[in-house]
Structure formats: C-alpha cells, structure tokens
Amino acid sequence: MEKKNIDWSNLGFGYVKTDYRFVSDFKDNAWDEGRMTQDETVVINECAGVLQYAQTVFEGMKAYTTQDGRIVTFRPDLNASRLADSARRLEMPVFPEDRFVEAVVNTVKANAAYVPPYGSGATLYIRPYMFGTNPVIGVKPADEYQFRIFTTPVGPYFKGGVKPLTIRISDFDRAAPHGTGHIKAGLNYAMSLHAIMDAHTQGYDENMYLDAATRTKVEETGGANFLFITKDGKVVTPKSDSILPSITRRSLMYVAKEYLGLEAEEREVYLDEVKDFAECGLCGTAAVISPVGKIVDHGKEICFPSGMDAMGPVTQKLYETLTGIQMGRLEAPEGWLKVIE
Ligand SMILES: *Cc1c(COP(=O)(O)O)cnc(C)c1O
C-alpha cells in the first residue's frame, strides 16, 4: 500500500484530515449498522444535547507500524470498556464493545496510508467519541446520539529529545469526590483549560492536582496519571476514585512487575511524601511516560535526583520495555496487540 507523502518526523500533535471516518447513529433506542464516510463535517441541531449540556465522552489511542511491518493498536478492548463506563456515567447509550474494536480496526484499515512507518516515531492517533445530537432544552439526557471515530497522524512526542517537565501544585481542583474524574468526558477538560493556561503563563508545563476533599493527596494532571519511583526502586502510583484509569499506567504497572521484577503498588500518595521519591513521570497514550524533573509547591521546589536533562533510570527502563512491547521488539502479553493488517 502506498503511504501518503508526509514528513512523518516533523509532524506535530494537531488535526490532519485523513480519508475516512466511521459514523454510527443511535435512534429509537438502537445503534444503526454504521458506515465509513469521507465527510469530515458534523451537522447537528442548534439545540443538540452536546451543545447545551456537554453530553459527550471520548477515547484516545494509537495505531502504528511494528518492527516486522504489521499495523497494530494497543489494547483497544480497554478503550472500549472505558468508553462504555464513561457513557453510562453520563446517561448515554453504550456502543457495544466488540463493535467498538471492529470499528477501530476498520477505520485504521481505511486510513492505512496515513499510518507512519516503523522508526519514524510518528503514530496514527485514533479519536473515538460520542455525543447527544437531538434538541434538548429541559435538562435531561438526549434520545439520539452519534458515535464517530476519526484518525490523524501525529509526530514523535519527544521531538529533539526528552526534556523533563516542571509542574506546579494547582490551586484549582480537577475532580470532586464522587464526581466525574474517573470518566473520559470533555467536561473534565473544559474546566481544566483555565488552570493549564494559567500554569503556562506562570512558566509551568503542567498542573499537579490534589484530592479536592483534603488537598493532601496526589491525584493526576489534566490528562496523565502519575508514576513515582521510590529510592529503593519500587513503582508507586496514586489510588483514588477520581483519577482517570489510564491504560498506559495500568500497562506500565504490569510491565514493572512481570517484565522488570519490580515491586509495584497502587496506593494513596500524600503530597508530603513526594519529596522522598527518586523519580517521577506522567503516563498516557501520547508520550507513554514524560519524566518530571521538578514540582513547585507555592515557591517550595521539589527537585528529583533524576534531574532536568534525562529520564530517571527506572522510568527509562519502563519506557523502553513498554514501547518495545508496543513496537513488536519484545514479546507482548496475550491480547495486548490488536493486529490490523
Ligand atoms: C486519557 C487520560 C489519561 C491517560 O489515559 P491513557 O489511557 O493512558 O491514554 C490520563 N488522565 C486523564 C484525565 C485522561 O483523560
């Protein structure tokens, strides 16, 4: 198959229109059979539920080329079940999980010319999402929905090398106890925009959010979970009902235990103990892991021994092992790679 003429290694993270997208409509209590379309526009009523009351949920995943030339996605079944959880929390109909995986496969297949070659560092980002389409003015769930999947090629995350991040403790909260922090909904991002713009203005890359109830425990950033490495080499990730369950983080915890023989634990992490960790990283689909070099708590700096020039040694090992599995250089656990072609 002929690849598109794209300068893969210089792509950024932005929208590039590809040839095909999947669309399925929910009406009269049922999803239709769905279709592949070349039309990138969405036309909905001015009073659509999504426009009035933000009834929308999404997923984010990647397709890429492995060392032996296969096009694969990583654990799409987990994105399917997470989207189902998100939909249920916002009173939206669930798009059947097996049909979700099938639609992802078909959308990537239709856009195979946009899947970057092995070694370019670039990937094809996949965005499944769902939203209420019919007019809703009294506050209630919509009756009609659209589920779509589009793809867009994105460049290597660490262009020009890894630069550890400087983050601040945020005075804004991301998620309330018993709220919607654990689902992947646009509403969680809308309210984080002011906090991230303010962080950037103050010279920080990201916000570390604390638990809203006590403001003593680490939650996550706006779009990535935390991993910490203790001085004796244990991997620790915060446990909380208001953290979005990152598939990357869950995979890294497995890799830590099963591939690297490290102790790995998910538990409450107090802000007070962060200064005692040896390494810190942010994990999510986009970067896999971004190292954090420094955390600033209202002028008080926590500088990790791994410094501002490179990933810490354990973070690096975790990164290399998971990307090795994803790229087919290391054997993947059963079911982790979904081969598209
Ligand atoms: C998507 C997301 C993550 C990362 O999840 P992955 O499945 O690893 O991509 C982390 N935090 C938030 C708030 C997210 O929306």
Side-chain angles (χ1 to χ4, degrees):
M1 177 253 332
E2 185 90 13
K3 291 285 176 191
K4 299 282 172 179
N5 183 21
I6 293 173
D7 182 4
W8 305 107
S9 47
N10 282 312
L11 275 172
F13 193 91
Y15 174 77
V16 173
K17 186 189 161 191
T18 56
D19 295 341
Y20 295 98
R21 62 278 300 125
F22 176 81
V23 185
S24 179
D25 290 306
F26 182 88
K27 199 174 169 169
D28 300 329
N29 272 315
W31 289 104
D32 68 12
E33 68 281 9
R35 60 199 177 274
M36 213 57 82
T37 173
Q38 298 217 59
D39 186 358
E40 81 279 23
T41 62
V42 176
V43 178
I44 47 176
N45 187 278
E46 62 187 346
C47 195
V50 61
L51 300 178
Q52 304 311 322
Y53 303 123
Q55 208 184 6
T56 179
V57 293
F58 69 100
E59 274 302 323
M61 51 207 295
K62 295 198 277 198
Y64 44 86
T65 309
T66 58
Q67 190 169 30
D68 61 356
R70 294 171 298 167
I71 293 177
V72 303
T73 61
F74 184 70
R75 311 187 78 180
D77 53 316
L78 298 188
N79 296 94
S81 70
R82 192 170 64 186
L83 187 73
D85 289 340
S86 299
R88 280 187 282 263
R89 180 63 176 78
L90 294 194
E91 289 296 329
M92 303 169 81
V94 167
F95 193 77
E97 294 181 33
D98 52 339
R99 289 195 57 202
F100 173 101
V101 173
E102 183 188 305
V104 165
V105 168
N106 290 337
T107 311
V108 173
K109 221 178 243 179
N111 295 295
Y114 291 92
V115 179
Y118 175 76
S120 64
T123 55
L124 186 70
Y125 185 75
I126 307 166
R127 172 53 60 88
Y129 60 117
M130 190 195 292
F131 48 94
T133 52
N134 68 294
V136 174
I137 192 78
V139 176
K140 64 176 171 64
D143 303 307
E144 297 176 5
Y145 295 85
Q146 189 163 90
F147 171 70
R148 297 178 74 100
I149 305 175
F150 71 78
T151 60
T152 183
V154 297
Y157 193 85
F158 296 116
K159 232 184 289 180
V162 172
K163 279 182 220 71
L165 306 175
T166 299
I167 67 180
R168 70 166 183 189
I169 309 294
S170 175
D171 288 328
F172 301 101
D173 293 323
R174 189 189 86 92
H178 319 295
T180 56
H182 61 301
I183 64 165
K184 215 165 172 74
L187 57 88
N188 290 329
Y189 279 79
M191 42 113 343
S192 75
L193 295 175
H194 175 63
I196 192 64
M197 293 308 285
D198 186 57
H200 289 167
T201 303
Q202 313 280 331
Y204 302 103
D205 298 304
E206 272 294 348
N207 286 301
M208 171 186 271
Y209 293 106
L210 302 178
D211 73 296
T214 71
R215 302 190 60 80
T216 58
K217 288 176 271 184
V218 176
E219 293 257 313
E220 59 171 321
T221 67
N225 288 181
F226 279 102
L227 276 189
F228 297 100
I229 313 296
T230 63
K231 289 194 171 127
D232 56 358
K234 198 189 290 178
V235 184
V236 176
T237 192
K239 183 182 175 74
S240 154
D241 292 340
S242 44
I243 290 176
L244 193 284
S246 158
I247 294 165
T248 313
R249 183 254 297 165
R250 285 180 269 165
S251 303
L252 286 165
M253 295 299 277
Y254 181 90
V255 160
K257 278 185 269 198
E258 304 299 327
Y259 281 67
L260 302 177
L262 301 172
E263 260 184 77
E265 82 181 337
E266 184 182 0
R267 60 159 171 88
E268 291 185 328
V269 173
Y270 285 86
L271 176 59
D272 279 348
E273 59 179 313
V274 168
K275 63 177 185 341
D276 300 324
F277 290 122
E279 300 174 37
C280 173
L282 298 179
C283 43
T285 293
V288 179
I289 311 183
S290 290
V292 173
K294 192 195 284 188
I295 298 176
V296 181
D297 180 5
H298 302 89
K300 210 167 69 226
E301 295 192 347
I302 298 170
C303 298
F304 294 103
S306 49
M308 297 305 294
D309 297 315
M311 279 195 194
V314 178
T315 306
Q316 179 84 33
K317 265 235 136 46
L318 285 165
Y319 177 81
E320 277 166 12
T321 308
L322 186 56
T323 53
I325 289 169
Q326 291 178 326
M327 294 296 165
R329 295 186 294 260
L330 295 173
E331 190 172 345
E334 179 80 32
W336 278 25
L337 296 189
K338 175 81 185 167
V339 178
I340 287 167
E341 62 180 45

